[in-house]
Amino acid sequence: QVQLVESGGGLVQPGGSLRLSCAASGSIVTINGMGWYSQAPGKERELVATITSGGSTKYADSVKGRFTISRDNAKNTVYLQMNSLKPEDTAVYYCVAVIVTYYSTREVWGQGTLVTVAS
């Protein structure tokens, strides 16, 4: 069974930084694209950033220049470095990965980690 486990969320003051991690485990052959989504209270889940297996990245306009997505393929882990945090960044952050096993290729989601930006 394949799963993603996120960590690194918490309470931070405006202007502060957090680093989220998401580690994949299980019978993994390889991982294709990985990414982070956020869901603020009362809003739909939306894309924050994605990264391909080759390291190409894309960001939502709202986080460009403040957030950085990266991955460690040897550790099957994706990271989200969040700097200059704003109250509007408050949300549950979910990681997602397209994981290839010997039996299937499927999109797997983490359980989410809460980020609260408040003074």
Side-chain angles (χ1 to χ4, degrees):
Q1 182 157 352
V2 175
Q3 63 176 354
L4 297 176
V5 178
E6 297 128 333
S7 60
L11 174 63
V12 63
Q13 292 186 341
S17 298
L18 279 177
R19 189 192 194 207
L20 306 183
S21 299
C22 173
S25 62
S27 300
I28 298 169
V29 173
T30 191
I31 301 177
N32 295 331
M34 305 182 83
W36 291 93
Y37 283 70
S38 67
Q39 187 166 19
K43 295 187 177 181
E44 294 187 353
R45 192 173 299 187
E46 58 184 25
L47 177 68
V48 175
T50 61
I51 185 167
T52 68
S53 57
S56 296
T57 59
K58 291 184 179 180
Y59 296 92
D61 287 343
S62 60
V63 306
K64 284 181 180 177
R66 299 189 298 123
F67 291 9
T68 302
I69 188 171
S70 61
R71 63 190 285 173
D72 185 332
N73 291 330
K75 295 181 179 180
N76 290 331
T77 299
V78 62
Y79 305 96
L80 186 68
Q81 178 66 44
M82 304 187 293
N83 299 329
S84 303
L85 282 160
K86 305 175 181 179
E88 51 263 44
D89 295 320
T90 295
V92 177
Y93 285 75
Y94 299 89
C95 68
V96 60
V98 178
I99 296 178
V100 180
T101 70
Y102 289 109
Y103 306 103
S104 67
T105 297
R106 64 187 184 99
E107 187 176 88
V108 179
W109 288 81
Q111 81 286 356
T113 185
L114 177 62
V115 171
T116 303
V117 185
S119 54

